[in-house]
C-alpha cells in the first residue's frame, strides 16, 4: 500500500473521531457560516463590479455595502451566541409583535420606501431594512417557543394551531400586500416546518400543505410578472429574448463554466448579459467562474449544514431547541434549494436569494443571526454542556469569552414559559450558594445513617441521574 493510500485510509476514522467530540457541531456551524459568507463576498464583488462601475463609477460600491452588512451580521452572530435561552424565550413574542408592526409600517405611504412598485423597505437613516427578512427569524423563535410550551402543557390540537397558524397567515398576507411572493413562500416553509416538527398529525399537515400550495399557485398567476415567470417555466423555448431571456442566460453561464470554470472574475454574463447576476442568479456566476467544482462546493456546504442542523436537533434535550434548530435548518436549506433549482431550470423563477451568498444586506445579516442561534443551540448539547462546565472550552470559545451554557432543567423551562425569573433551585448547581457546592459545583449529598442508605438507594440513584442521555459505551471506551 502506498503512503498516500494509507493516509487517505487513516483520514476517515480521524474525521469520525473528530465528529464525536463534544463541540464538533458548534465548530461545524461556525465554519459553514464563515465559508459561505466569504464565498458570497468574493462572488458579489466579481458579479457586481461591472454594473456598479457603470452606475456609479466605482466597481466596489455594491461590494462595500455587502461587506458592511456582513460586519453587522457578524456582530449579530456573536450576540446570538451570548443570548441566554430563557431570555430568548421571554422576548420571543414581543420581538415577533414588533416585526409584524414593522410590516404594517412598510405599507403606509410616506413611511415605507417604494422601489419599482413594491413597498418592502424601512429607511432608518443611511440604512434600509427589510422587515420581511426579520419576521422570518421572529416567527421561527416565537413558533418554537409556543409549540414547545403547549406540548409541555399537553394542550389540545386546537390550542396549538389557533395562536400559530392565524399569526403565520397574517404575516404572509402582509408580505403579499408589499407585494413579495418569494418571501411569502419562505414564510410558508417556516410555518410548515414548525407544524411538522411540532408533531402535527400527518393528515392535517398534508391538508394545510396542499392549501398552501394552491394559494401559492393562485398568487403566482394573479400578477402579470408572476404569470410571465410561470409561462416561461412551462414554455422554455418561447420568447427567448423576452420572458425566457434571464433563465436561458443563466443556463448559458453554467454551460460556459464547464468543470473547472473560466476563472475567478472572468465571467462574460456579468457584462449586462444576465440580469441580477449578483443577487438572484449568483449561482450561475459561480458555475461560470468556478465551474462544476464551485457549484459542488456550495451544494456540499449546504448538505453539511443539513447534517449539522439535524444532528443538533436530535441531540438537544430541550424541546424548544429541537424545534428552533430543525425549523431554521429546513427554512435555510429549502430557500437555497429553491434558488439553485430555478437557476438550473428545475423550478420557476421565484426571486428567493441564496442564503449568505447572494447580494442583499438585510438577508445576509438576519441569516447570520439565525446561524448564531443554531450555534448557540449546539453549545447546549448535553455533551457540550458537560465539556464546557469541565473547562474544555477550546481556543475559539475562550477567545470569544462566551458564557457557560445552562444545563437543561424542566423547572427552569417552565419558569421561562410563565415569564418569571427562575429560582436558584431551578437553575441547577451553578446557582447554589458557594458554601453548598462541592468541587464539581453540585450540592454535596447529606450524610445519612447506614439504615437510611439501604432503604433509599434506588431513590437516591434516580435523584442523581443526569437530565440528558449519556452514551455509556463511549464513556466505557474513554475509561479504558
Amino acid at each position: 500500500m502506498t503512503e498516500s493510500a494509507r493516509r487517505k485510509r487513516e483520514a476517515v476514522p480521524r474525521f469520525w473521531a473528530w465528529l464525536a467530540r463534544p463541540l464538533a457541531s458548534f465548530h461545524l456551524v461556525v465554519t459553514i457560516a464563515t465559508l459561505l459568507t466569504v464565498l458570497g463576498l468574493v462572488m458579489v464583488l466579481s458579479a457586481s463590479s461591472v454594473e456598479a462601475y457603470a452606475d456609479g463609477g466605482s466597481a466596489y460600491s455594491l461590494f462595500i455595502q455587502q461587506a458592511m452588512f456582513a460586519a453587522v451580521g457578524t456582530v449579530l452572530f456573536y450576540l446570538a451566541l451570548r443570548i441566554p435561552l430563557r431570555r430568548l424565550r421571554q422576548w420571543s413574542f414581543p420581538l415577533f409583535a414588533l416585526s409584524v408592526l414593522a410590516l404594517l409600517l412598510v405599507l403606509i405611504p410616506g413611511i415605507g420606501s417604494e422601489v419599482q412598485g413594491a413597498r418592502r423597505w424601512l429607511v432608518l437613516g443611511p440604512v434600509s431594512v427589510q422587515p420581511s427578512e426579520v419576521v422570518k427569524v421572529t416567527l421561527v423563535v416565537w413558533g418554537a417557543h409556543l409549540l414547545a410550551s403547549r406540548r409541555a402543557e399537553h394542550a389540545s390540537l386546537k390550542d396549538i394551531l389557533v395562536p400559530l397558524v392565524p399569526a403565520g397567515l397574517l404575516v404572509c398576507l402582509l408580505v403579499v400586500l408589499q407585494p413579495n411572493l418569494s418571501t411569502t413562500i419562505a414564510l410558508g416553509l417556516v410555518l410548515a416546518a414548525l407544524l411538522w416538527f411540532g408533531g402535527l398529525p400527518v393528515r392535517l399537515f398534508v391538508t394545510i400543505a396542499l392549501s398552501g400550495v394552491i394559494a401559492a399557485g393562485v398568487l403566482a398567476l394573479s400578477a402579470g410578472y408572476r404569470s410571465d415567470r410561470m409561462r416561461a417555466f412551462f414554455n422554455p423555448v418561447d420568447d427567448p429574448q423576452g420572458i425566457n431571456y434571464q433563465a436561458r442566460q443563466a443556463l448559458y453561464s453554467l454551460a460556459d463554466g464547464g468543470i473547472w470554470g473560466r476563472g475567478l472574475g472572468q465571467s462574460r454574463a456579468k457584462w449586462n448579459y444576465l440580469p441580477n447576476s449578483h443577487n438572484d442568479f449568483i449561482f450561475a456566476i459561480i458555475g461560470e467562474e468556478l465551474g462544476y467544482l464551485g457549484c459542488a462546493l456550495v451544494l456540499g456546504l449546504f448538505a453539511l449544514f443539513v447534517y449539522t442542523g439535524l444532528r443538533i436537533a436530535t441531540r438537544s434535550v430541550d424541546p424548544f431547541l429541537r424545534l428552533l434548530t430543525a425549523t431554521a435548518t429546513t427554512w435555510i436549506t429549502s430557500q437555497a434549494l429553491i434558488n439553485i433549482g430555478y437557476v438550473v431550470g428545475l423550478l420557476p423563477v421565484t426571486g428567493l436569494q441564496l442564503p449568505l451568498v447572494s447580494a442583499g444586506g438585510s438577508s445576509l445579516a438576519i441569516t447570520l443571526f439565525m446561524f448564531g442561534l443554531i450555534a448557540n443551540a449546539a453549545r447546549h448539547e448535553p455533551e457540550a454542556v458537560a465539556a464546557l462546565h469541565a473547562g474544555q472550552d477550546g481556543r475559539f470559545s475562550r477567545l470569544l469569552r462566551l458564557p457557560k451554557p445552562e444545563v437543561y432543567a424542566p423547572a427552569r423551562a417552565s419558569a421561562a414559559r410563565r415569564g418569571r425569573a427562575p429560582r436558584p433551585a431551578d437553575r441547577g448547581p451553578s446557582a447554589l450558594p458557594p458554601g453548598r457546592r462541592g468541587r464539581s459545583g453540585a450540592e454535596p449529598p447529606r450524610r445519612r445513617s447506614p439504615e437510611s442508605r439501604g432503604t433509599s438507594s434506588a431513590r437516591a440513584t434516580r435523584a442523581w441521574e443526569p437530565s440528558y442521555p449519556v452514551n455509556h459505551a463511549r464513556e466505557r471506551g474513554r475509561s479504558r
Side-chain angles (χ1 to χ4, degrees), residues 312-330:
I312 297 170
T314 54
R315 290 190 171 198
S316 298
V317 293
D318 190 344
F320 168 69
L321 289 181
R322 291 179 186 173
L323 286 167
L324 174 70
T325 308
T327 302
T329 302
T330 303

Side-chain angles (χ1 to χ4, degrees), residues 5-137:
R6 186 180 63 82
R7 290 180 179 177
K8 290 180 181 178
R9 205 171 166 184
E10 292 177 354
V12 175
R14 290 178 182 175
F15 175 72
W16 290 111
W18 182 84
L19 281 180
R21 298 175 64 179
L23 293 173
S25 300
F26 170 72
H27 292 139
L28 281 174
V29 173
V30 175
T31 302
I32 293 169
T34 303
L35 290 178
L36 286 175
T37 304
V38 172
L39 176 64
L41 289 174
V42 172
M43 296 311 303
V44 166
L45 174 60
S46 175
S48 66
S49 57
V50 174
E51 181 180 347
Y53 183 79
D55 292 341
S58 172
Y60 300 96
S61 58
L62 291 176
F63 166 75
I64 292 174
Q65 182 180 359
Q66 186 78 355
M68 291 175 57
F69 276 99
V72 173
T74 303
V75 175
L76 293 178
F77 184 96
Y78 180 69
L79 292 178
L81 280 175
R82 300 187 61 90
I83 295 178
L85 295 183
R86 64 178 184 274
R87 296 298 182 192
L88 184 64
R89 299 187 68 170
Q90 291 171 1
W91 297 342
S92 60
F93 180 73
L95 292 176
F96 175 72
L98 287 176
S99 62
V100 175
L101 178 62
L103 289 177
L104 287 170
L105 293 177
V106 165
L107 301 176
I108 300 176
I111 298 179
S113 177
E114 183 175 354
V115 178
Q116 296 181 354
R119 296 184 178 274
R120 303 177 184 177
W121 292 270
L122 283 178
V123 179
L124 304 176
V127 180
S128 59
V129 180
Q130 198 168 353
S132 57
E133 295 292 337
V134 179
V135 81
K136 295 177 186 177
V137 176

